[in-house]
């Protein structure tokens, strides 16, 4: 906003005894507050737009739009999931009210116009998935108010008769199930 700068200059060149000095100072203070509100609203809109673009890049999305309940992405990253005696690579997207789970897709998603989106080159990392919008397939979502995290001790875990070595592990438990 340029108005606070103009008002600041006007205050600087207005004598303190001038009849409009106090009003000019108040106007400067008010315009600074207005600019803060505008900038914050702009940042929120950019975050929401980024979430919408991310969701549109995920194949087979089900359920309500993320922006209906969430305002920002808190964290995203790769997770190795213990399944049927093996490990499966999953990608978690932690929003302020929701945890979305995706898996890697080997093919890009086509837009309605027939062009590809979400391309990741060999020089890019899969870990920056939210920004790069890599080829992701929707696997599920859990509202955070139903989610509980449990620590899992380091060591061997037996699942379906297969030993899996765990280090720094935790378990997500859906409290509604």
């Amino acid at each position: 906003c340029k108005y606070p700068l103009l008002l600041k200059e006007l205050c600087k060149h207005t004598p303190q005894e001038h009849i409009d000095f106090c009003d000019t100072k108040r106007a400067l203070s008010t315009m600074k507050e207005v600019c803060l509100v505008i900038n914050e609203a702009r940042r929120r809109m950019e975050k929401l737009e980024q979430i919408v673009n991310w969701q549109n890049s995920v194949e087979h999305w089900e359920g309500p739009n993320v922006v209906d309940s969430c305002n920002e992405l808190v964290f995203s990253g790769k997770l190795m999931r213990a399944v049927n005696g093996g490990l499966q690579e999953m990608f978690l997207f932690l929003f302020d009210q929701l945890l979305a789970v995706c898996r890697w897709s080997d093919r890009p998603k086509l837009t309605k116009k027939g062009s590809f989106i979400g391309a990741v080159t060999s020089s890019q990392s899969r870990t920056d998935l939210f920004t790069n919008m890599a080829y992701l397939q929707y696997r599920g979502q859990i509202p955070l108010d139903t989610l509980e995290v449990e620590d899992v001790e380091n060591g061997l875990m037996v699942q379906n008769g297969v030993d899996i070595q765990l280090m720094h592990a935790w378990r997500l438990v859906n409290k509604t199930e």
Side-chain angles (χ1 to χ4, degrees):
C1 289
K2 62 183 175 183
Y3 296 111
L5 297 174
L6 293 171
L7 286 167
K8 185 177 179 181
E9 281 299 308
L10 186 59
C11 285
K12 192 187 304 182
H13 297 289
T14 303
Q16 289 186 0
E17 340 35 82
H18 193 277
I19 191 170
D20 293 328
F21 182 77
C22 289
D23 289 337
T24 306
K25 281 289 219 188
R26 256 194 319 274
L28 173 60
S29 177
T30 301
M31 282 309 299
K32 284 181 178 179
E33 290 175 23
V34 167
C35 286
L36 287 173
V37 169
I38 289 171
N39 289 337
E40 181 58 33
R42 185 178 295 145
R43 278 190 290 278
R44 275 195 315 270
M45 289 306 297
E46 288 170 358
K47 286 179 181 181
L48 292 175
E49 184 178 335
Q50 190 179 28
I51 291 171
V52 168
N53 290 338
W54 170 82
Q55 183 178 332
N56 287 337
S57 75
V58 175
E59 293 179 350
H60 311 299
W61 183 266
E62 296 175 10
N65 292 324
V66 176
V67 293
D68 290 346
S69 62
C70 301
N71 295 313
E72 70 176 303
L73 175 75
V74 177
F75 182 81
S76 66
K78 181 171 73 169
L79 172 81
M80 298 308 289
R81 179 178 170 208
V83 178
N84 298 328
L87 296 175
Q88 181 181 38
E89 185 178 62
M90 303 296 287
F91 300 93
L92 298 181
F93 297 87
L94 178 61
F95 295 93
D96 54 331
Q97 301 295 318
L98 174 80
L99 177 68
V101 182
C102 297
R103 74 177 184 97
W104 185 255
S105 174
D106 292 330
R107 58 188 171 80
K109 179 181 177 181
L110 283 173
T111 64
K112 291 179 183 172
K113 296 179 182 176
S115 61
F116 291 107
I117 61 172
V120 176
T121 65
S122 58
S123 64
Q124 289 176 317
S125 166
R126 285 188 186 182
T127 58
D128 192 16
L129 296 170
F130 194 75
T131 305
N132 293 334
M133 292 185 279
Y135 311 143
L136 297 170
Q137 286 183 340
Y138 175 81
R139 302 306 290 168
Q141 59 182 287
I142 305 170
L144 292 184
D145 60 350
T146 66
L147 188 65
E148 199 169 90
V149 178
E150 294 178 355
D151 284 329
V152 176
E153 289 188 32
N154 292 339
L156 286 178
M157 178 181 111
V158 179
Q159 184 175 11
N160 297 335
V162 178
D163 292 341
I164 300 174
Q165 180 68 39
L166 298 177
M167 294 292 292
H168 312 293
W170 41 269
R171 176 182 298 131
L172 296 176
V173 178
N174 188 345
K175 295 186 289 189
T176 62
E177 293 181 354

